[in-house]
Amino acid sequence: LKVREVLEAKGSKVVTIEADATLRSALSRICEDRVGGLLVLNRAGKLDGIITERDIMRQVHQRADLEQVKVADVMTKTVKVASPDADIEEVEYAMTEGRFRHMPVLDGDEIVGVISIGDMVKANLREVKSHMEHLIDYLAVPLVD
Ligand code: AMP
């Protein structure tokens, strides 16, 4: 199964924010758009970083002032990305190794979507179900002599 197929099933919507926005607006966007993380884009629309609910949670724990701290101060700058042609096993491996749950998908330097660990669980379930249906069909073929 390819990253491209997972994206086709979930759509290419990405929720983004600018690096000079405050943590308060990042949190509002995460809650309103019901996502776990935001891609941080620079003025040219290119990927600059990623900020997730976990990054904000850490700041809340440290009693940071969400109105003052900027996304740029908290985001992860070295983002692991996937290509649409990658196998989802590669993404699963990178997420498990790196302990993160979001992976931007880039075609060249163009952002074409984000895959979350939940999208991959869904994709894997669909695949297992489809394999089972094929096997059941195969076993149910009446024998003709
Ligand atoms: P998450 O599990 O996605 O909420 O992220 C856990 C931590 O990893 C946070 O500090 C994120 O900023 C960071 N992170 C999330 N996705 C990625 C990614 N694709 N590449 C690098 N770091 C990431």
Side-chain angles (χ1 to χ4, degrees):
L1 199 62
K2 300 283 184 193
V3 165
R4 186 188 306 282
E5 298 166 76
V6 178
L7 269 191
E8 276 162 9
K10 69 153 289 196
S12 59
K13 176 185 160 195
V14 284
V15 188
T16 65
I17 195 148
E18 313 77 48
D20 60 359
T22 62
L23 291 190
R24 168 63 62 203
S25 31
L27 185 54
S28 304
R29 200 155 292 177
I30 283 174
C31 294
E32 281 157 17
D33 285 80
R34 296 171 179 276
V35 290
L38 307 170
L39 301 190
V40 186
L41 302 188
N42 65 23
R43 289 185 204 293
K46 300 295 177 215
L47 189 63
D48 229 7
I50 188 163
I51 183 165
T52 73
E53 52 197 358
R54 191 164 291 183
D55 299 313
I56 298 178
M57 191 71 93
R58 216 172 277 133
Q59 296 299 310
V60 168
H61 175 63
Q62 291 170 9
R63 299 180 198 282
D65 182 349
L66 300 186
E67 322 288 343
Q68 294 301 325
V69 179
K70 296 287 163 74
V71 167
D73 304 327
V74 169
M75 68 184 192
T76 302
K77 294 187 181 78
T78 44
V79 185
K80 293 265 193 318
V81 301
S83 123
D85 299 318
D87 286 318
I88 72 159
E89 280 81 13
E90 293 172 48
V91 177
E92 283 166 347
Y93 181 78
M95 282 189 182
T96 311
E97 277 291 295
R99 293 171 175 272
F100 53 78
R101 297 164 294 179
H102 299 88
M103 193 93 153
V105 183
L106 265 71
D107 198 353
D109 67 351
E110 194 197 340
I111 300 164
V112 293
V114 177
I115 285 187
S116 75
I117 206 155
D119 299 324
M120 280 193 321
V121 170
K122 274 187 230 156
N124 278 327
L125 276 176
R126 268 198 309 274
E127 204 182 34
V128 168
K129 225 176 132 199
S130 135
H131 284 164
M132 268 181 43
E133 281 165 9
H134 282 113
L135 277 173
I136 288 168
D137 278 353
Y138 173 74
L139 291 173
V141 169
L143 292 174
V144 282
D145 48 27

